[in-house]
Amino acid sequence: MSDVLDDSAGDTKNLRQVKALYRVLKSKDQQSIREILVDEPVWDVAPGFPEGAIYRGIAEVFGGFYPKLLAHVHTFGAFPDRFVDGGDTVVALGHYRITKTEDSPPVLVRFSHVWGVNEQGRVKGVWQVADSAQFFAA
């Protein structure tokens, strides 16, 4: 079975872009992240999720949201399980895998990411919902 982030022959350009974004976010390749995202992406993180708010622009997303979120955990990763391609909207269904401390077992937290993609194929941002109860129970 292939990795869900691998591109397949039937993937549209927008689906390939969203998959590429997950790959570069995992690698923390800032140059590639900036090439895939629009200049002012919007991260709309569900209220109730840790640091839930609307973040606008690269500085707020990567200098505000992620550092604050990562302060709550020892490790954090997003693992999409399935994609739904709606053209200029791509939905990723999956789970976060988090550990709260070095010795704690990983906890899986379900999420839905709704990604917007512009006419040039750049990702505009995400609307995120997740099972915050699982996050806080970890």
Side-chain angles (χ1 to χ4, degrees), residues 43-108:
W43 255 230
D44 188 340
V45 180
F49 194 76
E51 307 308 327
I54 297 174
Y55 299 87
R56 298 178 192 284
I58 297 284
E60 281 190 17
V61 170
F62 295 99
F65 170 64
Y66 282 112
K68 289 191 285 185
L69 175 65
L70 295 175
H72 292 272
V73 297
H74 179 67
T75 64
F76 178 90
F79 297 88
D81 298 316
R82 180 172 178 220
F83 290 93
V84 180
D85 187 348
D88 62 354
T89 301
V90 175
V91 177
L93 305 173
H95 63 276
Y96 299 122
R97 184 170 33 206
I98 63 169
T99 58
K100 287 288 187 122
T101 66
E102 187 174 352
D103 299 326
S104 65
V107 173
L108 301 181

